[in-house]
Amino acid sequence: MGEIKVSPDYNWFRSTVPLKKIIVDDDDSKIWSLYDAGPRNVRCPLIFLPPVSGTADVFFRQILALTGWGYRVIALQYPVYWDHLEFCDGFRKLLDHLQLDKVHLFGASLGGFLAQKFAEYTHKSPRVHSLILCNSFSDTSIFNQTWTANSFWLMPSFMLKKIVLGNFSSGPVDSVMADAIDFMVDRVFDQSALSTEAKEEMYKLYPNARRAHLKTGGNFPYLCRSAEVNLYVQIHLLQFHGTKYAAIDPSMVSAEELEVQKGNLGISQEEQ
């Protein structure tokens, strides 16, 4: 257990990608923390939104892999906001500060909920070009059943960890998944083990969305099945290559691929 925290990849990430602190609200206590990696000439990057209280470094394996292939990736850690409208306003200000008109969003659990809310919030002047949702939900009422919710902040860390671990399956898991859970428990309190009802509701909301099913991966596939998640992310972003919404440096895309992409775009426009 705990091998992720001392792995060469994680240490390399922490030593090469700086953590930035940005304030965009009038309240100086609201500090956004982020890792911004990859080519700065990309103006429509992929932004990762973590689970509740999650730290931006939970996506370090996506940052290392995707930037290595030429993508610009930003992983965020947001300050405390007491409702989603405050979050959306703060996130809009952050994008303005970063001079980003459009972005692709990858949201995990609560991060996915907030990504959906931000897309709704900016629908009149869209800022979200595409969404990738991981173990997410559309309604926060799934959290209302926990009577201890209002007292979580009073509890010592060992009690919070016990509650978090109690939410995961008690059955056997492989060592990689176990290490991912251990890594996340040190950083996150999050009810990400969704009910069947919550998943079905998401399917109804996005009937035309592409689904990427992993046979294994648990609640944190971006950590314990990162290669598969990174592949799915690449496949999703591939459709934007050669356009102004590409999240990749144009120099990393071959001429042959651009020709194929232009052909696909032509077909799509004719169908419309």
Side-chain angles (χ1 to χ4, degrees):
M1 298 288 281
E3 290 190 9
I4 291 178
K5 291 178 288 187
V6 296
S7 68
D9 284 348
Y10 184 68
N11 288 328
W12 172 256
F13 164 75
R14 291 300 303 267
S15 64
T16 57
V17 184
L19 179 64
K20 299 180 180 179
K21 306 280 187 177
I22 298 176
I23 297 174
V24 295
D25 292 287
D26 294 334
D27 183 352
D28 289 348
S29 68
K30 295 189 181 301
I31 303 173
W32 292 78
S33 302
L34 59 91
Y35 296 100
D36 186 350
R40 293 299 187 275
N41 61 311
V42 172
R43 305 310 304 160
C44 189
L46 174 61
I47 296 183
F48 285 87
L49 302 179
V52 60
S53 300
T55 52
D57 62 347
V58 300
F59 298 114
F60 79 95
R61 285 178 168 156
Q62 284 65 55
I63 294 175
L64 289 178
L66 293 171
T67 56
W69 295 321
Y71 291 92
R72 182 180 179 185
V73 178
I74 299 174
L76 295 179
Q77 183 176 330
Y78 18 78
V80 174
Y81 289 107
W82 295 108
D83 63 59
H84 69 267
L85 291 177
E86 283 188 9
F87 165 83
C88 290
D89 186 55
F91 189 32
R92 177 186 56 80
K93 291 176 181 176
L94 178 68
L95 293 184
D96 290 343
H97 175 84
L98 296 173
Q99 298 181 340
L100 299 174
D101 294 328
K102 286 282 189 76
V103 294
H104 305 280
L105 296 182
F106 180 112
S109 193
L110 180 69
F113 172 78
L114 294 175
Q116 294 171 80
K117 289 301 178 184
F118 185 71
E120 293 175 9
Y121 179 81
T122 59
H123 76 279
K124 291 184 178 179
S125 180
R127 306 293 294 269
V128 181
H129 196 65
S130 74
L131 278 175
I132 304 174
L133 304 175
C134 175
N135 287 333
S136 194
F137 49 87
S138 60
D139 186 351
T140 55
S141 64
I142 63 173
F143 297 100
N144 292 340
Q145 58 189 352
T146 53
W147 66 270
T148 53
N150 291 329
S151 60
F152 281 150
W153 67 280
L154 294 170
M155 295 183 180
S157 60
F158 74 89
M159 282 293 292
L160 287 174
K161 288 187 178 183
K162 184 177 180 180
I163 294 173
V164 173
L165 289 171
N167 286 323
F168 302 130
S169 171
S170 58
V173 296
D174 64 41
S175 60
V176 180
M177 289 177 62
D179 201 32
I181 292 173
D182 182 61
F183 184 83
M184 290 297 292
V185 164
D186 279 345
R187 288 157 170 75
V188 175
F189 176 73
D190 194 22
Q191 175 72 27
S192 56
L194 297 179
S195 66
T196 300
E197 291 77 9
K199 293 177 182 177
E200 290 300 325
E201 183 61 28
M202 290 293 288
Y203 297 154
K204 292 176 183 177
L205 287 175
Y206 303 101
N208 299 318
R210 295 180 179 177
R211 300 183 195 176
H213 293 289
L214 299 179
K215 292 182 180 179
T216 60
N219 298 292
F220 317 117
Y222 39 89
L223 275 172
C224 59
R225 297 294 182 269
S226 60
E228 294 172 71
V229 171
N230 295 344
L231 177 60
Y232 283 128
V233 169
Q234 277 190 287
I235 292 172
H236 171 76
L237 295 176
L238 183 64
Q239 62 190 300
F240 308 112
H241 288 190
T243 74
K244 63 180 180 179
Y245 303 117
I248 193 172
D249 188 328
S251 66
M252 300 297 287
V253 182
S254 68
E256 293 79 5
E257 182 182 333
L258 286 177
E259 285 301 317
V260 171
Q261 195 64 16
K262 288 178 183 178
N264 291 337
L265 288 172
I267 293 172
S268 299
Q269 291 170 358
E270 289 176 5
E271 290 175 346
Q272 293 176 357

